[in-house]
Amino acid sequence: EWQWLMYGEEHFSTRPLTPQSLGAIDRRDLVTFHETFWRPDRMILAVSGDFDRANLLAALEHRFASWRSNAEPTPKVSWPPPAPMDWAASGLYHYEKDIPQAKVMVGHRLAELLDWRSPERFVIEVLAELLAGRGAISRIGGRLRTAEGLVYRVSASLDAGTLWAGELRIFFDTGNSSVARAVELVIEEMESLRSEPVLVKELEVVKQSLLARLQLQFDTAEEVAGFLAEDELLDRPHEYWQGYLDGIALVSADDVQRAATTYLRPADLSCLVVGRWREVSAGAPAGESTLERLARSPVTVLVARDPLTLEVTQNEKKGAQSDADRRHGGLPR
């Protein structure tokens, strides 16, 4: 549901595999795809190991010499792939499910894709780690888990994007009755980063966490070769990784606060809650729940789907409509 809210239901990246879509593929489809796209002019080859470079290149040239592209020209396929254009408006979305702990997603899409050569990418990485990273510092984790005891797990990502603009995504699970309080604290931490400079010691710990993690990503020859091949695919300059250490080190407290005001937008948040709405909205005044006030919009009910086909039947639509009127006073999507 979150993918569909962020990127729409028609983009290739959000189309789920179903029995119907899988059954529609026959052998001829696979052969045609292979003949069209599996060709030498579209390949990137990465090699790692203990070898002599000159001998290996000669061997590869010899072994691949007979592999020719088809007579048919390479089809004009858009690259990079088209970005998703359609997404849901910011606001509050609810999917009814009988579970003891609600699953909550909070976030929004970023406005644009940042160029790989932009130093802003390093600032965003530091900001994301500070917000709710996997290291010693996590503003949201420290507040929701350590200080308030509302969650067992919480994670966040602020993705600058690879092929199209990325997104801010914050996930946690908490008791149904604690959802509103947890969302309120998430927004408070976002506002704090926007309005106050980060502490020098805090910033230093975050930087060290990122640099230590980078070393783990490049600790084998196979991983290095893989990243360099991915650079070719994404048109990412190899210098991006060479300058990573300096790029992270140069991020200042002022940079982080400026990025927070740009990329953390509390007024544009989408909030998806999966859980028991009666408990989620318990104690709320008539006509508006605390969550609706925080999200600055009435709740939108997401209609239940068949777990296998992901389709919605007419009976389910009618039932959801009746249930939505009773529980929310609103209309299902």
Side-chain angles (χ1 to χ4, degrees):
E1 291 291 348
W2 180 258
Q3 290 185 95
W4 292 332
L5 289 176
M6 290 293 104
Y7 302 110
E9 297 188 35
E10 298 304 319
H11 195 252
F12 76 90
S13 66
T14 63
R15 291 177 189 159
L17 181 68
T18 65
Q20 183 179 10
S21 63
L22 185 62
I25 301 173
D26 60 21
R27 184 180 184 280
R28 186 63 238 170
D29 293 323
L30 298 178
V31 171
T32 300
F33 181 88
H34 187 276
E35 292 175 345
T36 303
F37 295 104
W38 201 260
R39 44 198 294 165
D41 57 329
R42 303 182 68 90
M43 298 298 292
I44 296 172
L45 178 64
V47 184
S48 66
D50 183 11
F51 54 81
D52 178 83
R53 186 173 185 272
N55 291 339
L56 177 65
L57 288 175
L60 291 173
E61 291 287 354
H62 172 71
R63 292 177 181 274
F64 284 102
S66 61
W67 186 22
R68 303 295 183 190
S69 294
N70 300 333
E72 294 292 327
T74 302
K76 291 184 177 180
V77 177
S78 175
W79 186 261
M85 300 300 294
D86 180 40
W87 63 89
S90 59
L92 176 62
Y93 297 85
H94 172 242
Y95 192 102
E96 181 69 18
K97 196 168 183 65
D98 185 17
I99 49 179
Q101 285 206 322
K103 315 293 183 183
V104 183
M105 285 279 204
V106 180
H108 55 65
R109 284 183 55 173
L110 270 60
E112 60 182 356
L113 174 65
L114 291 173
D115 186 90
W116 286 107
R117 293 170 176 82
S118 172
E120 194 78 344
R121 280 184 166 268
F122 301 121
V123 182
I124 286 179
E125 287 214 36
V126 172
L127 175 60
E129 182 71 13
L130 180 65
L131 187 67
R134 291 174 288 165
I137 301 295
S138 170
R139 287 285 189 92
I140 292 178
R143 189 78 184 278
L144 270 64
R145 182 176 54 237
T146 307
E148 300 279 344
L150 296 177
V151 304
Y152 288 106
R153 59 173 178 164
V154 57
S155 62
S157 62
L158 181 60
D159 178 19
T162 51
L163 298 175
W164 49 78
E167 66 180 275
L168 166 68
R169 177 188 298 193
I170 300 166
F171 168 79
F172 59 87
D173 40 18
T174 187
N176 287 284
S177 60
S178 303
V179 170
R181 176 59 177 163
V183 171
E184 184 176 35
L185 295 177
V186 166
I187 295 175
E188 283 184 9
E189 290 304 319
M190 292 173 63
E191 292 286 8
S192 175
L193 286 168
R194 287 163 53 90
S195 60
E196 303 171 8
V198 59
L199 298 176
V200 174
K201 184 61 177 178
E202 192 178 23
L203 181 60
E204 187 60 30
V205 171
V206 165
K207 290 181 179 182
Q208 291 303 318
S209 295
L210 290 172
L211 297 180
R213 199 173 302 147
L214 177 70
Q215 296 176 19
L216 296 177
Q217 291 179 290
F218 286 85
D219 61 353
T220 69
E222 181 180 2
E223 288 173 328
V224 173
F227 274 109
L228 295 179
E230 189 179 72
D231 288 345
E232 296 294 328
L233 180 68
L234 300 177
D235 195 27
R236 179 175 57 202
H238 298 323
E239 293 76 20
Y240 175 81
W241 299 111
Q242 294 171 1
Y244 189 95
L245 298 180
D246 290 338
I248 295 296
L250 289 173
V251 175
S252 67
D254 287 342
D255 291 332
V256 173
Q257 187 175 1
R258 173 188 49 75
T261 61
T262 303
Y263 302 107
L264 304 182
R265 308 192 307 272
D268 297 331
L269 289 177
S270 292
C271 179
L272 170 63
V273 180
V274 179
R276 304 168 184 156
W277 184 257
R278 293 187 188 281
E279 296 176 17
V280 170
S281 61
E288 181 184 64
S289 69
T290 304
L291 269 177
E292 289 172 306
R293 175 179 56 79
L294 292 169
R296 307 181 187 184
S297 79
V299 64
T300 297
V301 184
L302 301 178
V303 180
R305 303 169 186 261
D306 182 278
L308 187 62
T309 67
L310 298 180
E311 295 177 350
V312 181
T313 66
Q314 288 301 119
N315 288 338
E316 287 171 332
K317 285 183 179 180
K318 291 178 181 178
Q321 173 66 74
S322 175
D323 193 37
D325 289 340
R326 183 171 60 256
R327 289 186 288 110
H328 301 273
L331 297 175
R333 188 179 66 168

